[in-house]
Amino acid sequence: MKNTIIFDLGAVLIDWNPHYLYRKIFDNESEMYHFLEHVCTPEWNEEQDAGRSLEEATDYLIRKHPEHEENIRAFYGRWDEMLGGPIEGTVAILRELKEHDEYNIYALTNWSEETFPIALERFDFLAWFDGIVVSGTEKNRKPFDSFYHTLLERYKVHPSEALFIDDNLRNVEAAEKLGIESIHFISPEDLRERLEKMGIL
């Protein structure tokens, strides 16, 4: 019997994408992709999610790629331009779950401690959660077991009573290894269908 729903935030409830910013900066799409694959990489960004400061991260990349200094500084200097808005279909699901009042609802997110306040200010629905565990604050992140355990222990959640929703298959598989039933998020429509089949919606 499930009594807890745990949501990821980015790409599940919040549309965040560096392309929104860097399409304004690069005239050439292939140059943009090259920059985001080889300079401001997802692996580099994950270190900020795990607690590295934005200043340290920026300085590190500028030392490594001085010819890209201006574009590197834009990553956090104009970070809010990467936020595309709420993913409305998933927000509607979250609202229904909250209104049913049958579940404890938490968020487990890989997010920099320094940029998360921007999201809190922009997205009212983040106040609907019973608790949010932010990787940058905890200096830990998905897919490490210890990060999941932080939420489980803090809110006294038993893995078998929880359902976890994340767009990253790596994170889903890590949760399942801990005994947390999980849904690999593809779209709001698919999520709704699966929750209805489970009797949660």
Side-chain angles (χ1 to χ4, degrees):
M1 183 69 180
K2 305 298 180 191
N3 60 26
T4 300
I5 313 292
I6 304 168
F7 282 87
D8 175 37
L9 295 179
V12 174
L13 282 154
I14 296 171
D15 180 15
W16 175 87
N17 195 323
H19 295 172
Y20 296 146
L21 166 63
Y22 283 100
R23 282 200 175 102
K24 302 174 187 176
I25 292 173
F26 287 94
D27 296 326
N28 185 300
E29 192 98 339
S30 63
E31 287 180 9
M32 178 193 77
Y33 281 113
H34 186 273
F35 176 80
L36 292 172
E37 288 169 10
H38 298 282
V39 183
C40 289
T41 66
E43 293 77 18
W44 169 78
N45 184 55
E46 277 196 331
E47 293 301 315
Q48 287 72 269
D49 290 347
R52 180 168 63 181
S53 76
L54 306 189
E55 182 179 9
E56 182 184 350
T58 301
D59 289 347
Y60 164 78
L61 269 198
I62 289 170
R63 287 194 302 271
K64 194 173 178 183
H65 303 282
E67 71 279 14
H68 292 293
E69 178 174 358
E70 184 177 353
N71 291 339
I72 291 168
R73 290 195 183 282
F75 196 95
Y76 290 114
R78 297 172 60 181
W79 182 88
D80 62 327
E81 294 177 54
M82 300 182 195
L83 288 172
I87 298 174
E88 297 292 357
T90 319
V91 174
I93 291 169
L94 176 64
R95 182 184 293 108
E96 287 177 43
L97 291 170
K98 190 68 179 173
E99 288 172 352
H100 289 171
D101 202 27
E102 294 177 28
Y103 301 97
N104 299 309
I105 304 174
Y106 301 109
L108 186 71
T109 183
N110 282 1
W111 205 301
S112 162
E113 181 181 26
E114 294 176 71
T115 58
F116 193 64
I118 299 170
L120 281 175
E121 187 175 325
R122 185 171 297 192
F123 302 109
D124 293 345
F125 63 81
L126 293 177
W128 302 350
F129 287 98
D130 297 303
I132 301 176
V133 178
V134 179
S135 62
T137 303
E138 305 299 330
K139 307 296 187 282
N140 199 356
R141 64 173 174 82
K142 296 174 283 189
F144 300 121
D145 292 359
S146 51
F147 188 51
Y148 297 84
H149 281 300
T150 296
L151 186 147
L152 298 175
E153 292 164 10
R154 182 170 298 165
Y155 299 110
K156 298 177 173 55
V157 175
H158 193 279
S160 67
E161 297 173 344
L163 176 69
F164 176 61
I165 301 160
D166 198 298
D167 68 296
N168 189 318
L169 186 57
R170 175 195 69 177
N171 298 338
V172 164
E173 290 172 346
E176 289 177 337
K177 285 178 183 175
L178 297 174
I180 305 169
E181 186 175 359
S182 300
I183 292 176
H184 181 210
F185 180 86
I186 298 167
S187 69
E189 295 76 20
D190 177 76
L191 177 61
R192 178 175 291 279
E193 183 178 335
R194 296 181 69 171
L195 291 175
E196 286 174 351
K197 284 180 179 177
M198 295 175 73
I200 290 174
L201 277 181

